Amino acid sequence: GENVEQHPSTLSVQEGDSAVIKCTYSDSASNYFPWYKQELGKRPQLIIDIRSNVGEKKDQRIAVTLNKTAKHFSLHITETQPEDSAVYFCASLSGAGSYQLTFGKGTKLSVIP
Amino acid sequence: DAGVIQSPRHEVTEMGQEVTLRCKPISGHNSLFWYRQTMMRGLELLIYFNNNVPIDDSGMPEDRFSAKMPNASFSTLKIQPSEPRDSAVYFCASSSRTGVHGYTFGSGTRLTVV
């Protein structure tokens, strides 16, 4: 089955700096890659996603990039703010009629004011 | 839409007792997923349903865990008997096969077994 590796497990940045979280996946048939943000004590919430026919997608301060050849995708947050502090999860959806997302282990991002 | 609704939000129970967690998916979503989240193991998929049919229950830790989805708007996850190591946050999520494939998670049930 699909395996998703996520790095780093923890990340601390100064407010205003950029943060990058990287994930790799194993199933070359995977075709959908969402990112979730989970604030302390709350549910994971979808913040951005990318499909396999697109190399990059941007939404204000967040962007995702996908390299299908290398089977990795990344989340980029620019101009970080304290409210960006949370745990971020990447995930992948395998092709062939799969319904199941496979999640990475998560990255705890701390933005230091 | 009220989103995915889970109940209860918090449950404290004694070891050996039966625990039932409930989930109402988003109307029109035909896939439902039960996850368990702990610090040590992260988000673990326990079981998922498609069109009310269990598709993959390989993540269910042992026979003490069971899940049902009697109709498109309701699912339960039952633990009997409960043990302290079952303490975790249990999330239910739903998704639709049409449109985006991202899941919508419920608010979770924080289970504490003492």
Side-chain angles (χ1 to χ4, degrees):
Chain A
E2 173 72 294
N3 182 47
V4 176
E5 298 284 339
Q6 183 172 349
H7 300 281
S9 57
T10 59
L11 179 60
S12 292
V13 299
Q14 291 288 331
E15 182 178 357
D17 287 350
S18 295
V20 180
I21 303 170
K22 298 181 179 181
C23 289
T24 60
Y25 60 99
S26 60
D27 187 350
S28 57
S30 292
N31 55 16
Y32 174 70
F33 308 91
W35 286 87
Y36 288 81
K37 176 183 180 182
Q38 186 179 25
E39 297 175 351
L40 189 63
K42 297 190 176 181
R43 75 187 80 185
Q45 290 195 295
L46 180 69
I47 56 171
I48 195 168
D49 56 15
I50 192 167
R51 297 184 186 278
S52 58
N53 58 349
V54 175
E56 184 174 359
K57 183 177 179 180
K58 192 171 182 180
D59 182 3
Q60 299 183 338
R61 295 186 298 107
I62 61 174
V64 289
T65 58
L66 171 64
N67 183 327
K68 285 186 63 180
T69 303
K71 290 190 283 189
H72 68 68
F73 55 113
S74 301
L75 177 71
H76 304 252
I77 306 174
T78 58
E79 300 173 19
T80 53
Q81 301 168 3
E83 52 265 38
D84 295 329
S85 296
V87 178
Y88 292 81
F89 294 94
C90 64
S92 75
L93 182 74
S94 296
S98 173
Y99 307 97
Q100 179 182 337
L101 285 174
T102 301
F103 284 87
K105 295 292 187 189
T107 296
K108 184 177 181 181
L109 173 64
S110 300
V111 180
I112 304 164
Chain B
D1 196 321
V4 177
I5 300 172
Q6 289 187 249
S7 64
R9 289 296 307 274
H10 302 276
E11 177 81 29
V12 180
T13 191
E14 291 186 347
M15 183 174 64
Q17 297 297 307
E18 178 180 297
V19 175
T20 299
L21 312 181
R22 297 172 177 79
C23 176
K24 176 178 167 54
I26 290 174
S27 177
H29 281 190
N30 55 2
S31 295
L32 183 141
F33 308 82
W34 282 100
Y35 280 86
R36 178 172 65 178
Q37 186 176 39
T38 60
M39 288 293 291
M40 292 296 294
R41 303 170 75 97
L43 272 168
E44 298 177 276
L45 177 66
L46 301 177
I47 186 171
Y48 79 94
F49 296 84
N50 190 56
N51 293 325
N52 313 337
V53 176
I55 302 299
D56 184 354
D57 65 354
S58 59
M60 297 285 261
E62 44 198 282
D63 292 344
R64 296 185 298 107
F65 286 69
S66 62
K68 294 182 180 179
M69 192 166 186
N71 57 61
S73 59
F74 185 65
S75 178
T76 59
L77 177 68
K78 185 176 294 186
I79 308 172
Q80 166 64 19
S82 57
E83 296 183 3
R85 60 193 169 117
D86 301 331
S87 298
V89 179
Y90 291 81
F91 286 104
C92 174
S94 69
S95 73
S96 171
R97 282 291 291 162
T98 59
V100 295
H101 296 300
Y103 296 177
T104 300
F105 282 85
S107 297
T109 295
R110 181 173 294 277
L111 174 65
T112 303
V113 183
V114 298

